Amino acid sequence: MGISAHYGQEREICMKLFERWSEPEQVHFVEQLLARMCHYQHGHINAYLKPMLQRDFISLLPKKGLDHVAESILSYLDADSLIAAELVCKEWHRVISEGMLWKKLIERKVRTDSVWRGLAERRGWIQYLFKPRPGESHPNHNFYRSLYPKIVKDIDSIDNNWRMGRFNLQRINCRSENSKGVYCLQYDDQKIVSGLRDNTIKIWDRNTLQCIKVLTGHTGSVLCLQYDDKAIISGSSDSTVRVWDANTGEMVNTLIHHCEAVLHLRFNNGMMVTCSKEHTGRVFRLQFDEFQIVSSSHDDTILIWDFLNFNPSTGNVCSGRLPMDGTSNQSDTRSPSR
């Protein structure tokens, strides 16, 4: 760059004057100076100032006793960003390591993603997450740092198995002297609950595939069922709905509100909806929430029963709640009609 012979001497005079001014005066002088520069010169000034204005706040926070703030900020990063953050400097790597951020990332995935949750329970590494049991401690940061890519690889493998149709097949033989079919089932990690044509509900152990309990009481095929941790509820071709204790298998209630086979049922929060073939066509499936019931039928229709926007002049009347606590109820429970 071209510098005149008088530049050095004149610069020293300007610098001495600049140093004698107050900070507001210095700022005002620089602003006036910048206003007289061209765009090209502004570019050089910007390149010079940019690194001076940058602050490594992640490294500075622990020095002020704010390690937890630095950890909280980095905890919002995804896996790729967390890998990149580890490479910034030793201090960032220390914050990530001591903050157990890979463990926290895995825990966040398990809380929000059903695949991660299911895999954690089935593979057993959920025992290393969240709060340790009394008297136990969790592994160090490196364990979770190496666990994360293994989990991702496992999920990719499962996804590929679904796409390619690769699987291990297990078979439970439900056939008995009177049984010629399994009409419905529900399962969890411990058991499979099945409704059979021989009028029974059979519960199978998921690990051994052995029958551990048989519920008897229906006089017709068990066509539908649903259970939670307290009750198993089943519908049958004998036109009844029966409620069973999920732990003991004891039948605690029989609901007689249909004249034909009960084809489907759903319950939630103390409310149950059942369907039969007493309409213009067999009702095969239904779903409901607090505001409506949606059902599908053999008559080529989907019906929506709207309880939220009921109009007295055009609406219809249907039954209310059915008790599932063992008490008797023989009140009118007509199904919704169009």
Side-chain angles (χ1 to χ4, degrees):
M1 59 182 177
I3 298 178
S4 66
H6 302 291
Y7 167 74
Q9 184 178 0
E10 293 173 347
R11 183 191 63 182
E12 290 302 319
I13 295 172
C14 291
M15 291 298 293
K16 289 179 180 179
L17 291 171
F18 185 82
E19 289 171 356
R20 288 207 301 261
W21 297 335
S22 65
E23 287 188 3
E25 291 171 337
Q26 290 174 345
V27 171
H28 182 266
F29 176 78
V30 173
E31 289 176 348
Q32 296 299 314
L33 197 60
L34 290 172
R36 287 167 172 76
M37 290 183 177
C38 64
H39 183 72
Y40 170 76
Q41 292 171 313
H42 288 158
H44 275 277
I45 298 297
N46 181 64
Y48 179 76
L49 289 176
K50 192 172 183 179
M52 296 177 65
L53 296 174
Q54 292 176 339
R55 289 290 184 273
D56 183 0
F57 58 91
I58 296 297
S59 298
L60 292 174
L61 285 170
K63 295 178 181 178
K64 297 183 179 294
L66 299 173
D67 296 67
H68 62 287
V69 177
E71 293 170 7
S72 179
I73 293 170
L74 294 181
S75 69
Y76 288 95
L77 298 179
D78 59 20
D80 291 338
S81 300
L82 203 55
I83 291 171
E86 287 180 321
L87 302 175
V88 171
C89 63
K90 290 182 178 179
E91 183 61 21
W92 282 44
H93 189 281
R94 185 195 67 80
V95 172
I96 293 171
S97 176
E98 294 184 3
M100 301 291 284
L101 297 192
W102 282 103
K103 176 176 180 285
K104 292 178 181 178
L105 176 60
I106 296 172
E107 289 173 344
R108 188 166 73 243
K109 290 281 191 179
V110 169
R111 280 194 299 266
T112 59
D113 191 308
S114 60
V115 174
W116 282 72
R117 178 73 186 188
L119 202 59
E121 294 171 346
R122 286 167 172 78
R123 297 298 195 220
W125 43 264
I126 196 169
Q127 64 181 306
Y128 304 117
L129 304 179
F130 309 108
K131 290 184 178 181
R133 297 173 182 173
E136 297 183 0
S137 60
H138 281 164
N140 61 24
H141 166 78
N142 292 329
F143 171 83
Y144 300 98
R145 178 65 180 82
S146 61
L147 176 61
Y148 188 91
K150 293 177 182 177
I151 297 172
V152 173
K153 184 178 180 181
D154 202 4
I155 292 174
D156 289 341
S157 176
I158 294 170
D159 185 60
N160 288 331
N161 289 341
W162 275 96
R163 294 177 185 276
M164 302 300 296
R166 298 190 293 254
F167 54 85
N168 291 325
L169 181 64
Q170 296 175 295
R171 188 184 302 274
I172 298 176
N173 185 6
C174 302
R175 184 175 293 277
S176 64
E177 183 177 348
N178 300 318
S179 176
K180 295 182 181 179
V182 180
Y183 286 142
C184 55
L185 63 83
Q186 183 182 338
Y187 70 92
D188 56 42
D189 289 339
Q190 287 75 44
K191 62 185 177 297
I192 301 172
V193 181
S194 60
L196 281 73
R197 189 177 179 181
D198 66 1
N199 310 344
T200 67
I201 297 171
K202 291 185 178 179
I203 303 175
W204 312 83
D205 184 278
R206 277 295 301 271
N207 295 318
T208 65
L209 304 184
Q210 297 299 308
C211 182
I212 56 176
K213 198 170 293 182
V214 180
L215 312 186
T216 59
H218 280 296
T219 58
S221 302
V222 180
L223 304 178
C224 55
L225 63 81
Q226 183 186 350
Y227 71 84
D228 59 16
D229 57 346
K230 295 181 179 179
I232 301 172
I233 302 183
S234 57
S236 169
S237 60
D238 64 9
S239 306
T240 68
V241 173
R242 298 178 188 257
V243 183
W244 318 77
D245 186 291
N247 296 312
T248 65
E250 178 186 358
M251 185 169 58
V252 297
N253 201 355
T254 301
L255 308 177
I256 306 174
H257 301 290
H258 288 285
C259 300
E260 303 248 10
V262 180
L263 301 176
H264 194 56
L265 64 84
R266 303 304 296 168
F267 71 86
N268 187 38
N269 293 330
M271 179 182 290
M272 178 169 61
V273 179
T274 63
C275 63
S276 182
K277 55 180 182 179
E278 298 153 341
H279 302 283
T280 57
R282 297 183 180 182
V283 181
F284 288 126
R285 289 291 179 269
L286 63 85
Q287 186 173 341
F288 78 97
D289 57 24
E290 292 81 358
F291 308 110
Q292 61 185 7
I293 303 171
V294 179
S295 63
S296 63
S297 172
H298 188 261
D299 62 5
D300 296 326
T301 63
I302 296 175
L303 299 182
I304 303 171
W305 319 90
D306 189 349
F307 299 92
L308 178 64
N309 301 302
F310 172 69
N311 186 335
S313 62
T314 60
N316 300 283
V317 178
C318 69
S319 63
R321 295 173 179 261
L322 291 177
M324 297 188 295
D325 57 0
T327 59
S328 175
N329 183 356
Q330 297 295 330
S331 61
D332 181 14
T333 54
R334 292 170 294 165
S335 298
S337 58
R338 285 178 287 182

